[in-house]
């Protein structure tokens, strides 16, 4: 059987010796620090996060630290990308624990602003609008109207502040990654976007901050998502895109406790429905109890 092309990990945050790390909460202080680093000619790598860090984030930070002299991580639960107030309120905020982990990973600066520091009153209310060229009209964009506007709003602001040479994003949020690539093109940011493979538990479950909200029983149930996706690689060898989409949705829905919101096999660049498997990725959103999980799988070209 073909394998999911992902990294399986054991939890080990203590990979690098502790270094001095600054926690900055004010935009002005961050700009001053960046100015000084730029004058010294340092290369800057950036990992934007919303905190509640797990090994998936750690893999981004490790890669960033390997490829850049300075690693900056933002920890900011961005209110403008939530369509649901309850979801925003429930989002885990664990800055003390996150900072400890980041120190051990060799991070130089943690930027952890408050919402008031990040946004003026008007920005908080305004409907930030960005031309996504259709990338936001499918899958997550369709299910969560306005979500990607909020993501672009905050990431563009963070890029202007941190002025990174490279920025690191996980492929689990595949649509977000493609949208960030488009944003960089349209807004002409001088930054290289690096997509990093999904990190999974040994069971296959894709790591996510939302997994913290799953009970042990739900976690066992959720493992079926990656199992069905992996099995679909074989199935796709002798079936069409439409048949494979149907099969994956049916197989996941057949597991008690799982409910598919969508499974779409799309082109890896345009995110439009794939005509065949030559450059295709399957993206799924599944409710496991009340928790909304996403995952994806790339189909090998043939
Ligand atoms: O992927 C995330 O955690 C967020 O969408 C991001 C990129 C940090 C923007 O808030």
């Amino acid at each position: 059987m073909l394998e999911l092309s992902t990294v399986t990990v054991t939890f080990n945050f203590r990979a690098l010796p502790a270094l001095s790390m600054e926690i900055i909460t004010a935009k002005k202080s961050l700009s001053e620090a960046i100015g000084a680093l730029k004058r010294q000619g340092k290369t800057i790598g950036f990992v934007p996060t919303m905190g509640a860090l797990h090994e998936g984030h750690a893999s981004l930070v490790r890669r960033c630290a390997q490829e850049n002299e300075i690693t900056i991580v933002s920890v900011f639960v961005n209110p403008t990308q939530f369509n649901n107030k309850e979801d925003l309120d429930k989002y885990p905020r664990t800055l003390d624990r996150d900072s400890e982990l980041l120190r051990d990973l060799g991070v130089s600066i943690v930027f952890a602003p408050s919402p008031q520091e990040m946004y003026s009153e008007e920005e908080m209310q305004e409907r930030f609008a960005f031309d996504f060229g259709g990338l936001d009209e499918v899958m997550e964009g369709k299910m969560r109207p306005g979500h990607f506007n909020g993501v672009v709003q905050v990431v563009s602001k963070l890029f202007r502040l941190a002025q990174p040479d490279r920025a690191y994003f996980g492929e689990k949020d595949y649509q977000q990654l493609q949208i960030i690539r488009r944003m960089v093109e349209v807004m002409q940011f001088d930054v290289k976007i690096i997509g990093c493979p999904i990190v999974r538990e040994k069971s296959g479950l894709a790591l996510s901050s939302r997994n913290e909200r799953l009970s042990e029983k739900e976690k066992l149930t959720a493992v079926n998502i990656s199992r069905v996706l992996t099995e679909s690689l074989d199935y796709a060898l002798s079936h069409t895109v439409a048949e494979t989409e149907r099969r994956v949705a049916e197989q996941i829905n057949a597991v008690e406790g799982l409910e598919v919101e969508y499974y779409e096999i799309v082109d890896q660049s345009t995110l439009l429905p794939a005509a065949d498997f030559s450059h295709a990725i399957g993206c799924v959103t599944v409710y496991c109890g009340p928790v909304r999980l996403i995952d994806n799988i790339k189909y090998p070209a043939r």
Side-chain angles (χ1 to χ4, degrees):
M1 185 192 285
L2 293 162
E3 295 279 307
L4 282 169
S5 62
T6 53
V7 181
T8 306
V9 288
T10 50
F11 287 81
N12 173 22
F13 282 105
R14 311 229 160 234
L16 289 172
L19 298 169
S20 76
M21 183 183 84
E22 224 183 321
I23 300 178
I24 294 180
T25 55
K27 286 185 291 195
K28 186 162 179 287
S29 312
L30 180 64
S31 294
E32 283 166 6
I34 299 294
L37 291 165
K38 291 274 174 191
R39 282 193 292 281
Q40 292 165 36
K42 301 281 189 200
T43 53
I44 297 177
F46 179 50
V47 183
T49 81
M50 297 209 296
L53 303 182
H54 51 65
E55 185 58 34
H57 298 108
S59 74
L60 304 181
V61 175
R62 273 193 208 100
R63 175 145 177 212
C64 183
Q66 272 163 15
E67 297 178 354
N68 302 278
E69 290 166 291
I70 299 293
T71 292
I72 302 179
V73 177
S74 61
V75 176
F76 178 62
V77 182
N78 174 33
T80 67
Q81 71 186 75
F82 285 79
N83 347 50
N84 180 327
K85 168 108 175 51
E86 197 187 329
D87 222 18
L88 171 64
D89 293 343
K90 273 197 184 154
Y91 205 88
R93 287 154 172 92
T94 55
L95 183 60
D96 288 348
R97 199 192 69 173
D98 293 343
S99 305
E100 236 178 82
L101 302 175
L102 294 173
R103 194 184 306 278
D104 288 351
L105 288 168
V107 168
S108 305
I109 297 175
V110 175
F111 180 51
S114 64
Q116 293 72 23
E117 176 66 17
M118 247 345 236
Y119 295 120
S120 64
E121 272 300 316
E122 299 80 65
E123 282 174 319
M124 200 78 112
Q125 303 309 328
E126 94 188 2
R127 297 296 303 153
F128 181 89
F130 177 75
D131 177 9
F132 296 94
L135 286 176
D136 64 324
E137 284 164 21
V138 294
M139 302 189 293
E140 289 301 285
K142 216 161 48 184
M143 298 301 164
R144 305 175 70 188
H147 167 68
F148 287 123
N149 273 312
V151 171
V152 167
Q153 182 182 25
V154 76
V155 176
S156 58
K157 224 175 207 298
L158 290 167
F159 279 5
R160 276 192 208 99
L161 287 166
Q163 298 175 49
D165 299 288
R166 299 184 189 83
Y168 297 78
F169 292 84
E171 287 193 346
K172 186 168 79 64
D173 295 296
Y174 190 81
Q175 190 171 5
Q176 169 172 279
L177 172 62
Q178 291 311 102
I179 280 176
I180 297 294
R181 289 190 199 286
R182 175 161 175 91
M183 178 196 90
V184 164
E185 219 177 277
V186 171
M187 295 187 169
Q188 299 186 347
F189 280 108
D190 189 13
V191 55
K192 187 165 191 265
I193 300 300
I194 309 212
C196 302
I198 298 177
V199 180
R200 295 178 185 279
E201 289 188 0
K202 278 213 175 75
S203 65
L205 179 64
L207 295 193
S208 162
S209 305
R210 289 169 189 246
N211 293 356
E212 281 187 26
R213 289 169 54 196
L214 296 173
S215 67
E216 280 312 306
K217 185 162 173 255
E218 284 169 338
K219 260 192 166 186
L220 290 175
T221 305
V223 165
N224 287 288
I225 302 167
S226 57
R227 176 185 63 75
V228 173
L229 290 180
T230 311
E231 287 170 7
S232 81
L233 294 176
D234 267 353
Y235 185 84
L237 293 173
S238 52
H239 295 83
T240 64
V241 167
E243 285 165 346
T244 308
E245 279 179 341
R246 245 189 333 268
R247 165 88 172 187
V248 166
E250 276 167 16
Q251 296 271 303
I252 295 178
N253 282 331
V255 177
E256 202 187 320
L258 294 184
E259 195 184 330
V260 173
E261 187 173 69
Y262 64 79
Y263 182 61
E264 292 188 28
I265 298 176
V266 296
D267 179 87
Q268 287 178 26
S269 308
T270 62
L271 305 185
L272 292 174
D276 56 39
F277 287 105
S278 56
H279 188 235
I281 184 166
C283 299
V284 74
T285 295
V286 180
Y287 277 93
C288 180
V291 186
R292 190 173 183 272
L293 300 173
I294 63 174
D295 201 346
N296 63 63
I297 193 160
K298 284 184 185 154
Y299 290 90
R302 49 179 141 104

